[in-house]
Amino acid sequence: MSSYLAVLRLPSAARTFATALIGRLSYGTVVLSMTLALASGHGSVGRAGAVVAVFALSVAALAPLRARLIDRHGIRRVLLPLALSYAAALLGITAATWRPGAPLWLLEALALAAGATAPPLGPTMRTLWRTMCGDDQALMQRAFSLDTVAEEVIGVSGPLLVGVLILVANPAVGVLLSAVLVAVGTVAMMTSPVVGLASTGVRAPGGGLGTRTGRVRHRGSLSRIAEPVFAATGVGLGLGAQSLAIVAFAMRHHQPSAIAWADAGMSVGSILGGLAYGTIHWPIPGRTRLPLLTVALGLSIGAAGLAPNVWTLTAITTATGLFVSPLMTCAYLVGDELAAEQSRTSAGMWVNNAYNAGSSAGYAAMGPVLARLPLSGCFALAAAPVVLAAGAARIWRFRIAKATPSAEVAITEAPAPASAAV
């Protein structure tokens, strides 16, 4: 834990991270809150699903554009207007669902507006970690691990918070809470000195804050970060497919509670694995580590198909979770390493989006398979894209290395002025 305390003791780190987490908690509460509010207001889960689908698709489709705007125009100029617009759209959904009767077109329009303006708080926070950690790679690894574990905790605690809230309040209150969280968190985050430094390219080598000026000649395309994007896509596909296979396992064993146990085991394993990963000094570079972690995750997903009972399945999913946060941390780090200096937020968003898109696609694809294959075959099929993604990332690395034998980088560094320290 002392290593994580060192991260939080960086100038302005605890303040910036805490405010970002407040805003990011909105993403842990908004989907379930919106679904419950819409279903309550319209009495139709199908209509609720349609509106939430509009929201989710617009979030994913426009995510790279929002990240690119931040890279191009700076965090303060873009993130705050996005967050306030997003909060306003959620307030509109709150008002429209507070009482039944709102037309479907209005709900879909508000969901589209919310999804289109959803602020990329996670990728932005990882950009800020880079600013705070400078060129200290060990510090970066701990910071990214802490960040990934925090996302895992938000993914678990957000729905639990909504579940408690709807026991005492109108379901639309959850959407209102999501709006308040993102607005308060982002506004508070903007007051951090680190945000101003990141917007001007100021960064400290070896930790702390300093001034960095320079010029990097690069290949400005998605191909630069294809390795972590391949890995994240495969992981999303595998875990999305596995989650539906776990539901089928529980139903066929007549133990619906197995779903909750397996999911809980996965989350606990991911949190523990992420915390451990950040403290280890790895003898091999991240680009070599990434496919190894991906293969390990794929094999553990496949092993779940051998489980004879609920308790064995829970043990295996817990072991699977041990690789999830470390793998995503490694993917974010590799993406940050490979990205051009002025495209780091976009790189993080592409990795994040690849995982989310893969998860949705894997879940959808597993449905028709469950009726045709035994459970062991379903889990093996879920493991396949993860292992294949590791191979694709490795092949791409060799292809790029062959095409570009040397990178052209010209960087000049200046010492930090006394006024830069915060």
Side-chain angles (χ1 to χ4, degrees):
M1 288 301 296
S2 61
S3 60
Y4 289 109
L5 290 176
V7 171
L8 294 175
R9 285 179 183 140
L10 289 170
S12 300
R15 167 187 175 179
T16 308
F17 188 41
T19 54
L21 288 181
I22 292 171
R24 291 160 80 176
L25 181 56
S26 171
Y27 292 120
T29 60
V30 68
V31 173
L32 181 57
S33 295
M34 195 182 296
T35 303
L36 293 172
L38 290 163
S40 175
H42 278 272
S44 169
V45 175
R47 284 192 172 189
V51 176
V52 173
V54 170
F55 170 75
L57 287 172
S58 58
V59 168
L62 296 175
L65 173 61
R66 293 190 295 270
R68 197 176 308 125
L69 288 172
I70 289 174
D71 282 328
R72 183 170 298 175
H73 300 291
I75 294 173
R76 282 202 175 111
R77 288 185 178 181
V78 179
L79 193 68
L80 186 57
L82 282 176
L84 295 179
S85 300
Y86 174 72
L90 292 184
L91 289 175
I93 293 173
T94 301
T97 56
W98 196 268
R99 296 181 183 277
L104 185 61
W105 66 265
L106 174 61
L107 295 170
E108 289 181 339
L110 289 169
L112 179 63
T117 56
L121 293 171
T124 301
M125 186 63 225
R126 283 183 282 273
T127 298
L128 296 178
W129 281 126
R130 163 63 71 179
T131 301
M132 290 184 281
C133 295
D135 294 322
D136 188 329
Q137 293 303 309
L139 207 58
M140 275 284 293
Q141 178 177 292
R142 291 195 290 271
F144 273 44
S145 293
L146 183 63
D147 196 273
T148 305
V149 167
E151 282 194 336
E152 185 72 42
V153 173
I154 285 172
V156 175
S157 61
L160 290 176
L161 178 59
V162 173
V164 172
L165 195 61
I166 62 171
L167 295 176
V168 297
N170 187 311
V173 171
V175 184
L176 173 62
L177 174 65
S178 302
V180 171
L181 286 170
V182 76
V184 170
T186 307
V187 169
M189 186 180 174
M190 292 303 101
T191 66
S192 170
V194 181
V195 174
L197 293 173
S199 297
T200 56
V202 179
R203 190 157 69 90
L209 298 174
T211 300
R212 178 183 179 97
T213 59
R215 177 172 56 89
V216 180
R217 285 173 286 177
H218 61 89
R219 297 172 62 197
S221 69
L222 183 59
S223 65
R224 289 178 63 94
I225 57 167
E227 293 168 46
V229 169
F230 281 144
T233 303
V235 171
L237 284 166
L239 293 179
Q242 184 201 41
S243 63
L244 194 57
I246 288 172
V247 173
F249 181 99
M251 295 298 102
R252 292 182 191 182
H253 285 76
H254 308 289
Q255 291 182 285
S257 62
I259 301 169
W261 284 108
D263 286 346
M266 178 86 74
S267 296
V268 169
S270 183
I271 290 168
L272 294 176
L275 290 174
Y277 180 83
T279 62
I280 297 173
H281 175 71
W282 298 97
I284 55 177
R287 293 179 74 183
T288 302
R289 213 180 308 144
L290 183 61
L292 296 177
L293 286 168
T294 308
V295 168
L297 177 67
L299 294 177
S300 64
I301 290 174
L306 304 176
N309 53 54
V310 169
W311 305 115
T312 306
L313 177 70
T314 301
I316 293 174
T317 56
T318 302
T320 300
L322 291 172
F323 298 105
V324 176
S325 283
L327 199 157
M328 291 308 297
T329 298
C330 188
Y332 288 130
L333 283 166
V334 171
D336 183 84
E337 171 193 338
L338 297 178
E341 185 77 24
Q342 63 270 37
S343 303
R344 296 192 187 279
T345 307
S346 296
M349 179 57 79
W350 276 114
V351 174
N352 190 68
N353 234 26
Y355 173 83
N356 290 334
S359 181
S360 299
Y363 192 92
M366 181 54 67
V369 174
L370 290 170
R372 295 174 172 81
L373 290 179
L375 278 174
S376 58
C378 292
F379 281 104
L381 191 62
V386 187
V387 177
L388 290 174
R394 196 73 177 160
I395 291 170
W396 187 267
R397 179 179 177 180
F398 286 130
R399 176 184 171 186
I400 292 297
K402 187 176 180 180
T404 54
S406 62
E408 293 182 305
V409 179
I411 294 179
T412 62
E413 303 216 7
S419 60
V422 292

